[in-house]
Amino acid sequence: MTGSSESLSLSGIKVGVVGLGKMGWHFAKRLHDDGAEVFIHSRTREKASEHEARGLVYCQTPTELAQKIDGGFIIICVTDTDAVEQVICSDQGLLLAIDPGTLVIDMGTTQVMNTRILAGKIEKAEAKYLDAPVSGGAIGAEQGTLSIMVGGADDDFHRALPLFNVLGQNINHVGPLGAGQIAKTANQMIVAMTIDAVAEALTLASRAGADPAKVRNALLGGFADSRILELHGQRMIERDFEPGARATVQLKDVVQAVELSGHYDLHLSGLETALTLWQGMVDGGLGDLDQAGFIRVVEKLN
């Protein structure tokens, strides 16, 4: 099931946003601009200063934020599974104050099994839960063009659609709780292995005597075309490795994919090779580079 591309005004709706990194910062801005009453929390208070100046309300803890939502929505967009667990379960977490009926939406990339456990804790508090990870990066978050992959109950998905329509364009209800994170795992597997393929292809083109920029242009629009070739390929050619999404984040997602495949006794050789290469990139001191910096791993191996 796919969400409508039509955006509805969020006037009068209370939304909490926990996590003001590259994605959450834009989530809060877009929701506020569309009329929602937005409450924010970040471990780094400075990230909230511009939002506070525009009228968004800062909360010192997730508990305080939950107290202000009155059964509305809480979006979590933090770095990893441990951070999501802290937001929900810590001694300053959401569970201490969440109102029945509040819809909690995890829009980060979280381990599937942990997602189901956390959802159970939220539901025990008579609140609701969706896992809704995204793809499209900081640019997609800023422009509201993200792909959003949603796991959870039908009613909760439809209730959250007005928010999703503000944040993204390709909105899909994949299945029950955890299904959104499964889809995101598949997404990150393809991203990790495609970045490797693009880096290797451009390296081969250069070594064999062709201009990699012209090779990339020749491939665009053909069967090998992809957003990875378009965006990361251009960054590789320009040697622009200023991080949009860091290699450390990609490694974390590949690790989660390997863990999930292991849970189901799957041996996925391409994924396991990707893990070795991305781990090598981070261990080699390149973890803070953009994912496109992966081409340096390929070059170093050759």
Side-chain angles (χ1 to χ4, degrees):
M1 185 179 297
T2 304
S4 167
S5 61
E6 180 181 355
S7 178
L8 303 174
S9 172
L10 301 180
S11 179
I13 294 176
K14 290 187 176 183
V15 184
V17 177
V18 180
L20 296 176
K22 291 181 181 295
M23 308 297 286
W25 196 95
H26 292 296
F27 290 172
K29 180 180 186 300
R30 291 190 63 83
L31 293 166
H32 176 266
D33 289 348
D34 207 71
E37 184 178 0
V38 179
F39 301 85
I40 51 178
H41 171 73
S42 173
R43 288 181 296 185
T44 307
R45 178 69 183 264
E46 290 76 15
K47 291 182 179 180
S49 58
E50 184 176 338
H51 282 329
E52 287 185 275
R54 300 174 69 249
L56 287 76
V57 180
Y58 184 79
C59 301
Q60 296 290 339
T61 65
T63 303
E64 181 185 341
L65 183 143
Q67 290 170 335
K68 296 181 182 296
I69 294 302
D70 298 330
F73 300 86
I74 299 174
I75 291 173
I76 304 173
C77 190
V78 292
T79 53
D80 55 28
T81 301
D82 288 344
V84 178
E85 291 177 342
Q86 283 291 310
V87 168
I88 293 173
C89 303
S90 74
D91 58 6
Q92 296 183 323
L94 299 177
L95 285 175
L96 292 181
I98 198 165
D99 286 332
T102 300
L103 179 52
V104 177
I105 308 170
D106 176 17
M107 300 192 75
T109 303
T110 305
Q111 291 169 313
V112 174
M113 304 307 169
N114 300 68
T115 291
R116 292 168 177 161
I117 293 169
L118 292 169
K121 292 182 178 183
I122 291 292
E123 290 173 347
K124 189 174 180 180
E126 300 183 7
K128 306 291 185 178
Y129 200 91
L130 292 173
D131 53 292
V134 303
S135 180
I139 293 174
E142 181 179 7
Q143 297 175 350
T145 58
L146 293 168
S147 292
I148 306 177
M149 304 155 245
V150 188
D154 269 350
D155 289 350
D156 297 332
F157 170 73
H158 286 289
R159 180 181 167 194
L161 260 179
L163 276 67
F164 293 150
N165 286 330
V166 171
L167 304 178
Q169 289 184 342
N170 182 27
I171 303 160
N172 287 276
H173 186 200
V174 183
L177 281 165
Q181 295 296 351
I182 293 170
K184 181 59 185 290
T185 299
N187 182 87
Q188 294 306 92
M189 289 171 62
I190 293 169
V191 167
M193 288 185 271
T194 305
I195 289 174
D196 180 18
V198 170
E200 291 189 18
L202 295 179
T203 299
L204 174 60
S206 179
R207 184 72 61 88
D211 182 340
K214 292 182 179 179
V215 170
R216 172 184 166 276
N217 287 338
L219 299 179
L220 292 173
F223 204 58
D225 196 4
S226 68
R227 289 286 284 170
I228 300 293
L229 179 65
E230 178 187 350
L231 298 179
H232 288 80
Q234 185 66 30
R235 291 173 185 152
M236 291 175 188
I237 289 165
E238 295 176 351
R239 314 299 287 186
D240 177 12
F241 304 142
E242 183 70 24
R246 285 178 167 81
T248 50
V249 175
Q250 184 64 59
L251 173 60
K252 180 263 295 183
D253 293 345
V254 171
V255 169
Q256 289 186 188
V258 170
E259 290 173 348
L260 184 61
S261 66
H263 181 83
Y264 291 103
D265 198 25
L266 284 172
H267 173 68
L268 303 175
S269 58
L271 176 61
E272 290 165 5
T273 299
L275 174 60
T276 299
L277 292 169
W278 285 97
Q279 186 69 61
M281 181 174 180
V282 172
D283 290 348
L286 304 178
D288 286 334
L289 297 184
D290 185 82
Q291 295 167 347
F294 187 88
I295 196 170
R296 290 182 57 180
V297 176
V298 175
E299 292 167 346
K300 186 176 181 179
L301 292 172
N302 292 278

